Amino acid sequence: MNNIERHQYIMRQLQQKGVVNVLELCKQLDVSSVTIRKDLKLLEDRQLLFRTHGGATQVNPYTTDRTVFEKEKIQTEEKLAIAREAASLIIDNDSVIIASGTTVQAMAKEIQPSLNLTVVTSALNVAVQLVKHPHVEILQLGGILRKSSTSVAGMYAERILADFFCSKLFLGVDGIDLDFGLTTTNAQEAHLNRKMMEVSQKVIVLADSTKFGKRGFGRICGIEEIDRIITDKGISPHTVKELERAGVKVTIVQ
């Protein structure tokens, strides 16, 4: 293939899969990685794609920090369906950690009031939602309050976590990249999320399909370190396949 034919092939693969991988393109086109990287740079310069670690994507992979008040107006139906599915995983006498984010906040609203639960949370809006439930014991983490997420982060919250172990962590994220892993826009929040993972038996990620292929500033963990993702039908079959290959159970809500 000449340059134009290679570029057309790359764009067709992007349209079909949403992402392309340098090593796969090398095998498919029988050219070196140097050639493919030059092709991707040229296509990026023409604003036809965005380069990522090991490949490229059609959508801008970099997320910016937005307030919960902005986020809660986005993908509302998808978030509600994800929230209901996640809440159904909570059983009587569970001890769970609920992190921050609009999707986990929506999940808190779906938790059955009759359940006896112990809930550890960094999010003020989650605590406010659950305080009306008579059988839910809430442990609110302390620390530096992030106004954009109405949640706390920092060493004080991390120290408290060291004294507990919970059956499930329900985690919201700003980005999920197959190569880079799970991210949020704040480094302190990412570090606290990591500590939450260390004291949880299972890590369940709640993320609508717009979060895939995105990257935030703070890396939480790799894909292989989580147990389950609950998302909506907007996720690509290719992404589902790669997640399952990494050992992650994927639940797609309607």
Side-chain angles (χ1 to χ4, degrees):
M1 288 186 180
N2 59 35
N3 292 357
I4 294 175
E5 291 172 332
R6 281 202 315 275
H7 296 169
Q8 291 174 339
Y9 180 87
I10 291 170
M11 294 308 301
R12 283 198 301 271
Q13 290 295 303
L14 265 179
Q15 291 169 2
Q16 293 171 11
K17 298 181 179 179
V19 295
V20 291
N21 179 274
V22 170
L23 295 180
E24 289 180 0
L25 289 173
C26 289
K27 293 178 182 177
Q28 293 163 2
L29 299 173
D30 193 26
V31 293
S32 70
S33 61
V34 174
T35 298
I36 293 298
R37 293 184 194 281
K38 286 181 179 179
D39 288 340
L40 295 181
K41 184 180 186 305
L42 180 61
L43 292 170
E44 184 179 50
D45 290 341
R46 294 177 180 173
Q47 299 184 341
L48 295 174
L49 53 75
F50 295 91
R51 286 186 296 165
T52 62
H53 177 69
T57 178
Q58 277 189 308
V59 296
N60 189 338
Y62 303 106
T63 62
T64 56
D65 193 17
R66 291 182 292 184
T67 69
V68 291
F69 310 107
E70 293 177 81
K71 291 179 180 179
E72 65 185 3
K73 298 173 184 177
I74 302 170
Q75 298 287 104
T76 53
E77 292 184 8
E78 290 83 357
K79 288 178 180 178
L80 179 57
I82 292 167
R84 287 173 175 165
E85 177 66 25
S88 71
L89 302 177
I90 300 176
I91 61 175
D92 203 34
N93 297 313
D94 241 345
S95 296
V96 303
I97 301 177
I98 302 178
S100 62
T102 52
T103 311
V104 293
Q105 179 188 3
M107 185 199 75
K109 295 178 182 179
E110 298 298 320
I111 293 175
Q112 295 298 316
S114 59
L115 292 176
N116 291 284
L117 299 174
T118 299
V119 174
V120 180
T121 186
S122 59
L124 297 184
N125 49 18
V126 169
V128 169
Q129 183 61 43
L130 294 175
V131 74
K132 66 185 77 170
H133 294 196
H135 307 297
V136 176
E137 181 178 348
I138 303 166
L139 197 157
Q140 172 68 60
L141 298 179
I144 300 169
L145 179 64
R146 292 187 62 226
K147 293 182 180 179
S148 62
S149 64
T150 64
S151 66
V152 299
M155 63 179 182
Y156 300 111
E158 294 172 15
R159 286 176 183 173
I160 295 171
L161 279 175
D163 293 329
F164 303 100
F165 190 81
C166 296
S167 64
K168 305 177 186 77
L169 163 62
F170 293 94
L171 183 64
V173 298
D174 290 316
I176 302 176
D177 183 277
L178 293 174
D179 294 319
F180 194 62
L182 279 65
T183 56
T184 182
T185 54
N186 182 270
Q188 280 193 318
E189 186 174 79
H191 198 264
L192 178 60
N193 290 161
R194 183 74 191 186
K195 293 296 182 182
M196 289 176 171
M197 292 177 63
E198 292 174 5
V199 296
S200 301
Q201 186 177 5
K202 288 188 177 181
V203 180
I204 302 167
V205 177
L206 281 57
D208 66 78
S209 57
T210 63
K211 302 292 179 65
F212 292 93
K214 299 283 187 177
R215 292 186 186 186
F217 175 73
R219 185 177 186 270
I220 301 170
C221 66
I223 293 293
E224 70 284 352
E225 297 178 74
I226 63 175
D227 298 287
R228 186 171 186 169
I229 288 180
I230 304 175
T231 188
D232 60 79
K233 59 185 179 181
I235 187 174
S236 73
H238 170 74
T239 301
V240 174
K241 183 179 179 181
E242 292 301 312
L243 289 170
E244 291 176 339
R245 183 180 295 176
V248 179
K249 181 177 181 180
V250 181
T251 300
I252 301 174
V253 298
Q254 299 301 313

